[in-house]
Amino acid sequence: MILVTGGAGFIGANFVLEWLEHNDEPVLNLDKLTYAGNLHNLDSLQGDARHIFVRGDIGDRALLERLLAEHQPRAVINFAAESHVDRSIHGPEDFIQTNVVGTFRLLEAVRHYWSALPATQKEAFRFLHVSTDEVYGTLTPDEPAFAETHRVEPNSPYSASKAASDHLVRAWHHTYGLPVLTTNCSNNYGPLHFPEKLIPLVIVNALAGKPLPIYGDGRQIRDWLYVRDHCRAIARVLQAGRLGEVYNIGGWNEKANIDIVKTVCALLDELRPRSDGKSYAEQITFVQDRPGHDRRYAIDARKIERELGWKPAETFDTGIRKTVQWYLEHPEWVANVQSGAYRDWVAKQYGAVQ
Ligand code: NAD
Ligand code: DAU
């Protein structure tokens, strides 16, 4: 079996679903169920013996040792993290605890488990660490996209904590020989995305008749990838990635935030027109910029294509249409994540705009 951490979150849950659609190899899913973890993401696996869920913290060494000894996974894929940049600005502590200390404890537990494995299992074992393009910092409009060799220059508490975890993973390979792989991916979007992130927030707010908040001038650029393409890339790196290597994953879809929001509005205008006949774009509201806001991310994904033959299957047009349709078809999922805690966060982040 494989051990997945953070498998109740956005990408982790999509990964578990994608994995079990194509494999019968069981998944042990360890997730703390923070505000971002949602077991309803995995409702379709109820009663499926291939999925074992354990609520727990990647920083809990005793729990990790027990789970590893009991289930003997052949691989660990580490998705668990605090993942929202704006939250890291308001309160960096949790990001250090989970992303840095948690990854350290996970690495140590895995190292002890792996060291004691019989030779053939030891050789086949893999630790795959899921990271982000944000560790590379920001690009000017003319700079080439981030390659794996780009300097690491994180600018937010979130990206600094992810960069720290990437360094730990690298060091555990160089020093202890732990068979690691690291992936650094661009912005994901798709079903099950928590509506504090730009695309789901805009869909949910638009339908609720609320403002669509754009930070600063809205000309910041992100490189968008449909989440299931990311999941397939991770599975491919796990299968054939070279030990100790970093693989950048991206969609070759650089887009300014304002254009993303206008695209979502146009799709909603087509699929669920406003009752007054006006466009959802009328709800766009420019708000104060994010402190230290990175201007542009772009991923050079040629290495994973060249070495492992991975390319995204979705274009932005097909992926964003599927995404908007999914949110329109799952109002109960949206209602469920809009708990009291969610509303408190929205009030803190957006204040009077809401
Ligand atoms: P998410 O916030 O939706 O989910 C994170 C999951 O981790 C949640 O289920 C949460 O309960 C769990 N978790 C948090 N702290 C934990 C802990 N201490 N122990 C166990 N579980 C814990 O995040 P996501 O968007 O799915 O991102 C998953 C991973 O991918 C993260 O490592 C993130 O840095 C990385 N990443 C995300 C994106 C993106 O666009 N969302 C892009 C590139 C990389
Ligand atoms: O690049 C990969 C990263 O993408 C991941 O590592 C992070 O976990 C993930 O959260 C995401 O980070 P971003 O900060 O890019 O995503 P977010 O959806 O928060 O914001 C996308 C862009 O939209 C960013 O430039 C900020 C802007 N934005 C965001 C929100 C929530 C707005 O203009 N208004 C908003 O209300």
Side-chain angles (χ1 to χ4, degrees):
M1 67 151 52
I2 60 169
L3 166 57
V4 165
T5 73
F10 165 48
I11 305 174
N14 272 289
F15 180 85
V16 172
L17 295 169
E18 174 79 21
W19 181 266
L20 293 175
E21 277 165 26
H22 299 283
N23 287 281
D24 275 333
E25 187 177 15
V27 176
L28 174 62
N29 184 351
L30 173 68
D31 194 299
K32 187 176 173 181
L33 294 182
T34 66
Y35 78 94
N38 181 356
L39 275 179
H40 289 301
N41 292 346
L42 301 161
D43 274 350
S44 61
L45 297 176
Q46 266 175 24
D48 190 328
R50 298 173 305 163
H51 179 240
I52 302 168
F53 181 80
V54 176
R55 184 176 192 189
D57 193 321
I58 58 165
D60 182 344
R61 179 81 187 265
L63 172 67
L64 291 170
E65 283 180 359
R66 183 170 65 69
L67 291 175
L68 290 165
E70 196 177 315
H71 296 280
Q72 300 274 309
R74 65 151 180 114
V76 173
I77 307 178
N78 184 30
F79 291 94
E82 288 293 335
S83 70
H84 190 34
V85 174
D86 294 322
R87 284 182 189 258
S88 84
I89 295 167
H90 286 284
E93 179 85 29
D94 288 347
F95 290 72
I96 304 303
Q97 275 313 321
T98 285
N99 301 0
V100 186
V101 179
T103 303
F104 158 70
R105 298 236 173 92
L106 180 63
L107 280 166
E108 277 296 81
V110 170
R111 177 168 77 87
H112 283 96
Y113 162 73
W114 167 79
S115 316
L117 286 174
T120 46
Q121 281 165 257
K122 196 172 175 188
E123 203 175 315
F125 186 82
R126 297 288 182 271
F127 181 97
L128 193 155
H129 179 61
V130 179
S131 192
T132 170
D133 60 358
E134 301 203 10
V135 302
Y136 298 120
T138 188
L139 292 168
T140 60
D142 302 326
E143 275 181 295
F146 300 129
E148 290 79 359
T149 48
H150 196 280
R151 66 192 175 278
V152 173
E153 272 182 345
N155 289 322
S156 72
Y158 163 69
S159 55
S161 69
K162 289 297 289 185
S165 66
D166 295 8
H167 287 320
L168 292 174
V169 170
R170 176 189 159 87
W172 261 238
H173 175 66
H174 275 264
T175 303
Y176 303 113
L178 191 70
V180 307
L181 299 154
T182 299
T183 56
N184 292 82
C185 188
S186 60
N187 283 62
N188 285 214
Y189 67 99
L192 311 178
H193 205 182
F194 193 82
E196 65 184 354
K197 308 279 172 75
L198 180 67
I199 289 179
L201 179 91
V202 164
I203 299 171
V204 168
N205 276 15
L207 294 172
K210 291 182 178 172
L212 313 180
I214 310 257
Y215 297 162
D217 64 2
R219 302 305 314 169
Q220 303 84 3
I221 289 171
R222 298 290 181 266
D223 175 356
W224 295 92
L225 179 67
Y226 190 67
V227 62
R228 289 291 182 113
D229 275 323
H230 185 193
C231 297
R232 287 185 278 266
I234 289 170
R236 182 69 188 133
V237 172
L238 180 69
Q239 181 184 44
R242 285 188 292 130
L243 290 187
E245 289 291 314
V246 172
Y247 292 91
N248 282 358
I249 304 170
W252 304 104
N253 277 313
E254 282 187 60
K255 298 203 182 291
N257 293 338
I258 184 70
D259 297 330
I260 292 285
V261 175
K262 285 183 177 165
T263 300
V264 169
C265 289
L267 279 166
L268 287 171
D269 289 342
E270 175 196 327
L271 299 169
R272 181 74 56 85
R274 264 172 53 158
S275 53
D276 62 4
K278 292 182 178 167
S279 171
Y280 288 97
E282 303 225 347
Q283 291 165 232
I284 289 174
T285 310
F286 288 87
V287 300
Q288 196 180 6
D289 208 354
R290 171 185 281 175
H293 200 169
D294 284 336
R295 198 69 187 163
R296 173 177 168 239
Y297 303 145
I299 277 279
D300 178 342
R302 283 177 297 180
K303 178 176 171 182
I304 187 171
E305 181 173 352
R306 189 176 62 244
E307 290 191 12
L308 304 179
W310 173 88
K311 273 198 295 198
E314 300 288 345
T315 63
F316 187 72
D317 287 349
T318 59
I320 194 68
R321 181 173 284 274
K322 279 187 187 179
T323 304
V324 171
Q325 271 166 341
W326 187 87
Y327 280 87
L328 289 173
E329 286 161 12
H330 293 84
E332 74 297 337
W333 184 93
V334 173
N336 180 270
V337 297
Q338 288 177 319
S339 65
Y342 174 81
R343 281 197 300 274
D344 289 347
W345 157 248
V346 170
K348 186 172 171 190
Q349 176 64 10
Y350 299 109
V353 174
Q354 284 298 304

